[in-house]
């Protein structure tokens, strides 16, 4: 019995693989390692390569599915009310047609024309924009100065920082109620001015109302600037301060060339957010002055509220709300544009 010519079971697979490797290619062809087969005439014929595993449809659309809850929420909370408001601004909607408001007479831009020609819309827009701008511009240096003053460690710094935040954490109606009480005739404010022999006059009615609401708005909003400026100061590298001190930089020079560049972003954000909040602030003038509001503080939110719930001209008030939205979008567009330019410049600097 010849056992040497019979391969063992362990060596059969290896032998089979070796046999397949050593098996000559069909006549007239030469298989290469590049996935192509050369023929005897020298031409190459591409051989089929195994298909890559394809991603399923659900896997490819997974980012879109993840955005669906947020998109649905934005549609319900923002998009649908916005579209309804735009549609209402084109209707002659009042208390008589409110029950069937969809069937109200369609007057196109009639409400906008009436708002511009027959109401005090321009006066309210001017008051809102000027009041918001002045209050924001005054609050900015106060917040920055407070942040610079409390940046370095000193005894009692935590207490000072906490006290600075009190106006910001108070609800808006509480702030308005407190200052309405203080601005009453013979109140704390009048008594304080009387100590210096000054007769301030009326604060809640008359020409002083415009200055009064700006003062209260600044008092309530500067801590927000303080917080953003303080966060910007925390990002300043300590080595930069040491280097400027070694170079003998003066206080103002260090503040201008070391500190302020870091505050550009936070202060810009504080300016935009402050403008938006002040333009939309309804609680402060409503609680401080009540209705009807004095002519000097008849801001756009107050005018819109009176048109809606006292005159019951809902279509007209919707047109005013659209004007308010446009006013809000202007500073927001400027800010987004500025941020985009900063990103473009920073990317160009890295190249």
């Amino acid at each position: 019995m010849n056992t040497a010519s019979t391969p063992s079971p362990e060596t059969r697979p290896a032998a089979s693989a070796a046999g397949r490797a050593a098996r000559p290619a069909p006549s007239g062809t030469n298989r290469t390692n590049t996935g192509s087969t050369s023929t005897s005439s020298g031409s190459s014929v591409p051989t089929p390569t195994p298909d890559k595993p394809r991603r399923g449809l659900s896997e490819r659309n997974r980012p879109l599915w993840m955005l669906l809850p947020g998109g649905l929420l934005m549609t319900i909370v923002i998009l649908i009310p916005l579209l309804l408001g735009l549609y209402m601004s084109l209707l002659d909607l009042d208390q008589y047609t409110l029950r069937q408001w969809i069937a109200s007479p369609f007057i196109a831009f009639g409400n906008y024309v009436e708002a511009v020609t027959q109401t005090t819309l321009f006066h309210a827009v001017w008051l809102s924009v000027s009041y918001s701008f002045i209050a924001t511009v005054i609050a900015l240096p106060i917040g920055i100065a407070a942040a610079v003053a409390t940046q370095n460690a000193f005894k009692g710094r935590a207490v000072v920082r906490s006290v600075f935040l009190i106006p910001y954490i108070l609800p808006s109606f509480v702030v308005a109620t407190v200052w309405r009480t203080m601005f009453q005739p013979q109140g704390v404010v009048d008594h304080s001015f009387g100590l210096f022999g000054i007769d301030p006059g009326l604060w809640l009615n008359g020409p002083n109302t415009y200055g009064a609401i700006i003062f209260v708005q600044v008092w309530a909003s500067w801590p927000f600037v303080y917080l953003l400026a303080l966060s910007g100061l925390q990002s300043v590298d300590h080595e930069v301060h040491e280097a400027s001190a070694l170079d003998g930089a003066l206080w103002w020079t260090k503040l201008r060339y070391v500190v302020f560049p870091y505050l550009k972003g936070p202060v810009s954000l504080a300016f935009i957010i402050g403008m938006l909040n002040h333009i939309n602030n309804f609680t402060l003038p409503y609680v401080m002055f009540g209705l009807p509001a004095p002519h000097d503080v008849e801001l756009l939110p107050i005018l819109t509220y009176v048109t809606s719930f006292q005159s019951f001209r809902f279509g007209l008030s919707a047109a005013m709300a659209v004007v308010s939205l446009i006013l809000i979008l202007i500073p927001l567009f400027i800010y987004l544009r500025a941020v985009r330019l900063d990103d473009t410049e920073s990317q160009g600097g890295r190249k």
Side-chain angles (χ1 to χ4, degrees):
M1 184 174 183
N2 188 10
T3 58
S5 60
T6 304
S8 63
E10 292 77 6
T11 58
R12 284 174 184 171
S16 301
R20 287 195 299 268
R23 186 180 301 167
S27 177
T29 62
N30 183 18
R31 191 178 299 273
T32 64
N33 294 331
T34 57
S36 63
T37 303
S38 62
T39 62
S40 58
S41 59
S43 61
S44 61
V45 178
T47 57
T49 56
D51 295 337
K52 296 181 179 178
R54 295 183 177 179
R55 301 171 59 187
L57 183 61
S58 59
E59 185 178 358
R60 285 183 297 175
N61 296 331
R62 182 174 299 172
L64 298 179
W65 286 106
M66 296 176 68
L67 292 176
L68 184 59
L72 184 61
L73 183 62
M74 290 184 61
T75 301
I76 297 175
V77 176
I78 298 177
L79 184 59
I80 293 178
L82 177 62
L83 295 178
L84 289 176
L86 290 174
Y87 181 65
M88 289 175 58
S89 67
L90 306 177
L91 302 177
D92 187 13
L93 185 63
D94 52 21
Q95 71 271 30
Y96 303 107
T97 58
L98 182 60
R99 296 185 60 181
Q100 297 178 345
W101 65 275
I102 296 180
S104 300
F106 184 82
I107 58 174
F109 295 100
N111 286 324
Y112 293 93
V113 175
E114 182 180 353
V116 172
T117 59
Q118 301 181 22
T119 66
T120 58
L121 178 64
F122 281 142
H123 174 73
V125 169
W126 164 249
L127 284 179
S128 298
V129 174
S130 60
Y131 143 78
S132 303
F133 181 78
I134 294 173
T136 305
V137 169
I138 295 176
L140 286 180
I142 298 175
I144 294 173
V148 173
T150 58
Q151 180 190 7
N152 297 324
F154 59 89
K155 189 175 182 179
R157 185 178 68 169
V159 177
V160 174
R161 286 182 170 182
S162 302
V163 171
F164 281 172
L165 296 179
I166 290 178
Y168 184 67
I169 61 177
L170 291 177
S172 185
F173 74 92
V174 174
V175 173
T177 303
V178 169
W179 280 102
R180 178 185 174 91
T181 304
M182 297 175 67
F183 277 134
Q184 292 289 337
Q186 303 302 321
V188 176
V189 176
D190 282 1
H191 182 72
S192 300
F193 276 94
L195 296 177
F196 300 95
I198 302 175
D199 183 14
L202 299 176
W203 292 101
L204 301 177
N205 193 11
N208 290 338
T209 54
Y210 188 71
I213 193 173
I214 290 178
F215 176 82
V216 177
Q217 186 66 74
V218 171
W219 183 85
S221 61
W222 72 264
F224 177 70
V225 183
Y226 161 72
L227 287 177
L228 291 182
L230 193 61
S231 65
L233 292 176
Q234 298 298 327
S235 63
V236 181
D237 194 352
H238 186 68
E239 295 180 355
V240 178
H241 285 288
E242 294 180 350
S244 59
L246 292 176
D247 292 339
L250 300 177
W251 176 80
W252 169 249
T253 304
K254 187 167 64 174
L255 195 65
R256 179 179 179 183
Y257 294 103
V258 176
V259 175
F260 281 170
Y262 285 89
L263 295 180
K264 180 181 177 182
V267 171
S268 300
L269 182 62
F271 178 80
I272 298 300
I273 295 179
M275 286 286 294
L276 297 179
N277 287 335
H278 300 162
I279 289 178
N280 281 326
N281 196 343
F282 168 78
T283 305
L284 185 62
Y286 178 76
V287 176
M288 277 189 65
F289 305 103
L291 295 177
H295 183 69
D296 290 339
V297 289
E298 194 178 30
L299 304 174
L300 189 54
I302 296 296
L303 179 62
T304 304
Y305 177 84
V306 171
T307 306
S308 294
F309 299 104
Q310 288 194 343
S311 301
F312 300 106
R313 296 292 308 279
F314 302 108
L316 182 60
S317 64
M320 293 179 178
V322 173
V323 175
S324 302
L325 177 63
I326 295 173
L327 285 178
I328 293 172
L329 291 179
I330 291 175
L332 184 61
F333 174 78
I334 294 174
Y335 172 73
L336 295 177
R337 184 70 177 175
V339 171
R340 182 180 178 183
L341 289 176
D342 288 344
D343 291 342
T344 303
E345 291 176 357
S346 60
Q347 291 177 1
R350 296 191 191 102
K351 292 179 181 179

